[in-house]
Amino acid sequence: MEYVLIIISAIFVNNVILAKFLGVCPFFGVSKKVETALGMGGAVVFVMTIATIVTYLIQKYILDKFGIQYMQTITFILIIASLVQLVEIILKKMSPSLYQALGIFLPLITTNCAVLGVAILAVSTDGFGLMESTVYAIASAIGFGLALTIFAGIREQLDMMDVPEGMKGVPIAFVTAGILALAFMGFSGIA
Amino acid sequence: MSKVNIFTRGFFKENAVFVMLLGLCPALGTTTSAINGLAMGLATTFVLIMSNIVVSLIKSQIPDKVRIPAYIVVIASFVTVVELTMKAYLPELFAVLGLFIPLIVVNCLILGRAEAFASKNNVFDSILDGLGMGLGFAMALTILGAVREVLGSGSIFDIPLYEGDGALVFVLAPGAFIALGYLIAILNKLTKKTA
């Protein structure tokens, strides 16, 4: 499989949030400011890439080898949970300001279904080797960050708009996301 | 808090999807039809009740520091049970819901209830809480699925309602966001009037 195809498909055509509905909770939770959206996007790129590499190796060399594929869900979620803990400790030391900005959402990456979802998709897609899985994970995470940042930019503008009373807050955010998803559907012509 | 209150608040006052905005991924991803939404909701309800029971039973045994990983293992075990059962007896449904079955494990609703309710209350209350929250979640998914099915494919629970194709966009991704947005707006309007 060609890497370019994987990258374009994962970022635009099959965007994790807007086409696959993975990671919708942080999509609405941390998208009020562009700055936090970028931070969250960066954290997800880091966690998702490492998580996919580690889970891929575990799947191939432990779960498949001993025929215990039914342990997949439990194993993967534990790996991701410990990785998130690691990122949290590193970030606390290296960049306290970013750590403060991301606040409670960093531990929530554990329950970010995008990370587990991409890890499972990578091992279950036929023809994906370690290299393809890694590229796929990075591209998916970039797609996540991209959608999150665009959405945060729109929401910053939305704050200044005159929104009808009943649509204020969450409802208008959902409709906006729907229109954004509509725009991303235009990319499906490429693939 | 009365027993009735514990059970009923999951439906409207603290509905997972419409009010708390928890578990949005399956709520948007699996509700292409009313039946799919209902199935996903019931699978989640089962995991929620079982994990609430176990967490409530072992709450005094778990050291505070490792409680979250412990809860996750409990939840993941029940998700595996659902996954294997569904694969064996309902393979068609499993193919449709696909990835979202293992993803029940990261549904914030379940971990949220384990942390906020089951770890502080007795078993019976935890079962009630799980049942109420789970059925409220299932109800929300069924409503969303029904709305998308009516608008998108012109049928409800696979029973055709009108001729023609309907607006395909409601079955596709963008329609999910838009439909949920308007549902929440309507619900806000209704609850504000009564309050």
Side-chain angles (χ1 to χ4, degrees):
Chain A
M1 242 192 244
E2 279 193 50
Y3 294 129
V4 182
L5 199 69
I6 297 177
I7 293 172
I8 291 184
S9 153
I11 296 182
F12 297 111
V13 184
N14 291 312
N15 186 284
V16 268
I17 301 174
L18 297 170
K20 290 212 188 96
F21 301 114
L22 300 175
V24 177
C25 294
F27 182 60
F28 284 100
V30 282
S31 60
K32 293 219 172 81
K33 277 194 189 135
V34 173
E35 205 179 316
T36 37
L38 281 171
M40 183 70 179
V44 168
V45 170
F46 190 63
V47 173
M48 199 183 268
T49 311
I50 302 176
T52 306
I53 296 173
V54 175
T55 50
Y56 182 87
L57 293 175
I58 299 263
Q59 173 81 26
K60 279 272 141 23
Y61 294 105
I62 295 180
L63 297 186
D64 282 353
K65 196 174 170 194
F66 297 107
I68 44 170
Q69 285 91 343
Y70 58 86
M71 289 293 284
Q72 193 192 50
T73 313
I74 299 180
T75 322
F76 280 23
I77 192 65
L78 282 179
I79 292 172
I80 292 168
S82 8
L83 269 175
V84 171
Q85 203 83 48
L86 196 72
V87 172
E88 201 183 342
I89 294 168
I90 294 173
L91 212 60
K92 211 175 190 173
K93 264 245 147 39
M94 307 275 277
S95 169
S97 58
L98 189 63
Y99 178 77
Q100 284 233 308
L102 292 180
I104 61 158
F105 282 100
L106 202 60
L108 281 185
I109 293 187
T110 315
T111 49
N112 181 342
C113 31
V115 178
L116 181 61
V118 166
I120 294 178
L121 280 175
V123 293
S124 54
T125 309
D126 288 329
F128 265 23
L130 181 60
M131 219 29 227
E132 283 91 349
S133 299
T134 314
V135 172
Y136 175 69
I138 296 173
S140 295
I142 292 174
F144 177 86
L146 182 73
L148 192 65
T149 313
I150 295 177
F151 190 55
I154 298 176
R155 277 185 94 173
E156 278 187 359
Q157 297 294 313
L158 212 56
D159 280 345
M160 290 175 265
M161 297 294 150
D162 189 19
V163 179
E165 192 58 43
M167 295 296 288
K168 265 188 187 139
V170 180
I172 192 75
F174 271 103
V175 176
T176 312
I179 296 169
L180 194 59
L182 212 52
F184 267 70
M185 269 181 73
F187 289 115
S188 57
I190 310 175
Chain B
M1 203 186 303
S2 73
K3 307 275 179 218
V4 181
N5 201 349
I6 293 176
F7 177 67
T8 54
R9 65 183 168 165
F11 288 90
F12 293 103
K13 225 173 101 210
E14 292 181 25
N15 187 286
V17 178
F18 294 141
V19 183
M20 316 261 278
L21 304 179
L22 293 174
L24 290 176
C25 306
L28 295 167
T30 60
T31 51
T32 48
S33 73
I35 290 198
N36 292 348
L38 183 63
M40 187 67 207
L42 292 181
T44 311
T45 307
F46 170 77
V47 177
L48 184 56
I49 295 173
M50 296 312 283
S51 71
N52 261 7
I53 293 174
V54 174
V55 166
S56 170
L57 283 173
I58 60 173
K59 60 177 183 268
S60 52
Q61 312 292 324
I62 307 174
D64 212 34
K65 268 192 177 162
V66 293
R67 65 181 196 286
I68 301 285
Y71 298 162
I72 290 180
V73 174
V74 170
I75 296 168
S77 316
F78 287 114
V79 170
T80 309
V81 170
V82 171
E83 200 181 339
L84 294 177
T85 314
M86 226 176 203
K87 226 185 233 170
Y89 296 105
L90 300 162
E92 283 161 29
L93 198 61
F94 185 80
V96 178
L97 299 179
L99 184 62
F100 284 98
I101 294 296
L103 286 184
I104 295 177
V105 75
V106 282
N107 188 327
C108 344
L109 170 66
I110 297 176
L111 190 63
R113 291 329 287 173
E115 167 78 4
F117 196 90
S119 63
K120 297 187 187 80
N121 290 280
N122 62 42
V123 179
F124 183 69
D125 283 358
S126 300
I127 295 176
L128 271 187
D129 177 74
L131 196 63
M133 283 287 167
L135 290 180
F137 182 72
M139 180 193 75
L141 260 63
T142 314
I143 293 176
L144 184 58
V147 169
R148 287 178 67 187
E149 198 182 344
V150 169
L151 294 174
S153 10
S155 61
I156 186 162
F157 288 105
D158 289 335
I159 306 159
L161 286 181
Y162 54 84
E163 294 286 310
D165 288 337
L168 185 65
V169 70
F170 279 98
V171 178
L172 299 173
F177 287 109
I178 295 171
L180 184 55
Y182 279 104
L183 276 178
I184 293 176
I186 293 169
L187 207 77
N188 278 352
K189 172 103 180 135
L190 291 177
T191 48
K192 247 178 208 152
K193 243 180 194 170
T194 52

